[in-house]
Amino acid sequence: MAEVKPGGQAAAELSEGAQSELMGLCEDQFALLEKLQNEIILCEPDFCENPQEQSVNRLMATEAELKQWQTEEPKLLAANSEVLLQAGKEEMLKLCSELEMVVSCYEAKRDNLRETKELEQKWLEEKRQVLVAASDHAERLQMEKEKLSEHSVLQETKAKIQKMKVYQERLMESLGDVLEKHVPLPQNESITSKKKKNIELGLNEDLISLNEILEVLMNKVLNTPHDPYVTIDDTFWPPYIEMLLRYGIAVRHQENNFKIRLETFF
């Protein structure tokens, strides 16, 4: 595309007659412009008492002049076809140069948008792959959970049962130690009456300890909750039974006094 040439070179392409005509038109236009400027200077007042009114008047005059210019038909400055052709060439070259600048700007913007689009597509593809991997992992975990749920529940229940058994054994051992220390088994011993006569207490050698009695009562409740009563025999020392009944640890059967059960604690 051709470039815009300076004014001197453009004028050199015109013939002498066209140049003379163009110079004459320019001189006429400059003379008209000078005349209009002088008229404007003479029409403007030196001083105005009301600046607001002066501004309004100027605005009205400007609007009237604008309407007049809008109604007038544009006129050619020169009738010479050679001058018009040269002017048209210069305007076309100038317009082409401006369009080239616009095209260059839009191409640069297009390239930037293309790069941004590629980056966004790459980021979107990476996120899609991450989503697919996370979904697959979640499905695998769900399947493993469904497979191991029943087994894990069973193992957890067994572990809790074993833990409770160990805890129960520790409690029973602690209870046995306390009872053995503070409530030992009765033994044959001699007591002296007020008359200082030796009377020997006859005790059954098969007596069981208080700890064993409590263990029998608890096992009975756990094994047969529908029939928690235990029949009292010679191995149960009566003072132990009375102590359990007195302190509300055991309860006697309503119809059979030789049967007791462990009190229900809430």
Side-chain angles (χ1 to χ4, degrees):
M1 186 177 294
E3 297 180 355
V4 179
K5 297 181 180 180
Q9 294 180 2
E13 296 179 0
L14 297 174
S15 63
E16 293 181 0
Q19 290 182 15
S20 299
E21 183 179 353
L22 184 59
M23 292 299 295
L25 290 173
C26 291
E27 291 177 358
D28 294 339
Q29 293 297 324
F30 278 118
L32 179 60
L33 180 60
E34 186 177 359
K35 179 181 178 181
L36 293 174
Q37 287 179 346
N38 293 332
E39 291 178 358
I40 292 172
I41 293 173
L42 293 175
C43 291
E44 290 183 351
D46 296 335
F47 176 76
C48 184
E49 296 180 355
N50 192 348
Q52 185 175 2
E53 183 178 358
Q54 183 180 4
S55 299
V56 172
N57 293 333
R58 286 182 177 178
L59 178 60
M60 293 176 62
T62 304
E63 290 179 350
E65 185 177 358
L66 176 61
K67 290 180 181 179
Q68 182 180 358
W69 280 108
Q70 289 177 346
T71 56
E72 289 187 359
E73 293 291 336
K75 297 180 181 180
L76 296 176
L77 295 178
N80 193 329
S81 61
E82 188 178 354
V83 174
L84 296 176
L85 178 61
Q86 187 62 33
K89 287 182 179 180
E90 292 181 359
E91 289 296 327
M92 290 298 295
L93 292 175
K94 182 179 179 181
L95 179 61
C96 289
S97 178
E98 293 176 354
L99 290 176
E100 285 180 353
M101 293 178 62
V102 172
V103 170
S104 178
C105 293
Y106 275 97
E107 286 179 349
K109 185 180 294 186
R110 181 195 61 190
D111 294 338
N112 291 333
L113 290 176
R114 184 181 289 112
E115 293 178 359
T116 304
K117 177 184 176 182
E118 292 176 355
L119 292 175
E120 292 292 337
Q121 289 179 344
K122 183 178 180 181
W123 177 84
L124 180 61
E125 184 62 26
E126 291 177 354
K127 295 301 179 181
R128 186 180 291 110
Q129 293 177 0
V130 171
L131 178 61
V132 172
S135 301
D136 294 341
H137 184 64
E139 291 179 359
R140 288 196 301 270
L141 291 178
Q142 184 65 26
M143 294 176 62
E144 293 178 359
K145 181 180 179 181
E146 292 176 356
K147 292 179 180 179
L148 298 177
S149 59
E150 297 181 358
H151 181 70
S152 60
V153 170
L154 180 60
Q155 294 297 325
E156 185 178 357
T157 305
K158 289 182 178 180
K160 289 182 179 180
I161 294 174
Q162 184 64 27
K163 186 176 180 180
M164 290 301 298
K165 287 182 178 180
V166 173
Y167 182 67
Q168 181 185 4
E169 291 177 359
R170 291 180 180 177
L171 287 179
M172 295 303 296
E173 290 178 0
S174 301
L175 179 62
D177 295 340
V178 172
L179 294 177
E180 184 179 358
K181 180 178 180 181
H182 298 282
V183 190
L185 276 173
Q187 298 178 356
N188 292 324
E189 57 182 3
S190 298
I191 60 173
T192 307
S193 63
K194 294 181 179 180
K195 297 180 181 180
K196 296 182 180 181
K197 293 182 179 180
N198 293 334
I199 302 176
E200 185 176 330
L201 295 176
L203 297 175
N204 188 357
E205 296 180 356
D206 297 332
L207 291 177
I208 59 177
S209 64
L210 181 60
N211 182 29
E212 294 175 339
I213 295 175
L214 291 174
E215 187 173 356
V216 170
L217 292 174
M218 285 187 289
N219 291 333
K220 185 66 174 178
V221 171
L222 295 175
N223 295 331
T224 57
H226 59 282
D227 183 19
Y229 288 93
V230 176
T231 303
I232 302 174
D233 55 16
D234 295 339
T235 59
F236 290 76
W237 196 37
Y240 285 167
I241 304 300
E242 294 298 328
M243 181 179 66
L244 295 177
L245 295 173
R246 179 179 300 175
Y247 291 105
I249 301 174
V251 178
R252 195 183 295 276
H253 197 282
Q254 296 180 358
E255 299 179 356
N256 189 350
N257 293 331
F258 293 98
K259 288 185 177 183
I260 60 173
R261 68 172 174 84
L262 194 66
E263 179 62 278
T264 303
F265 298 98
F266 296 98

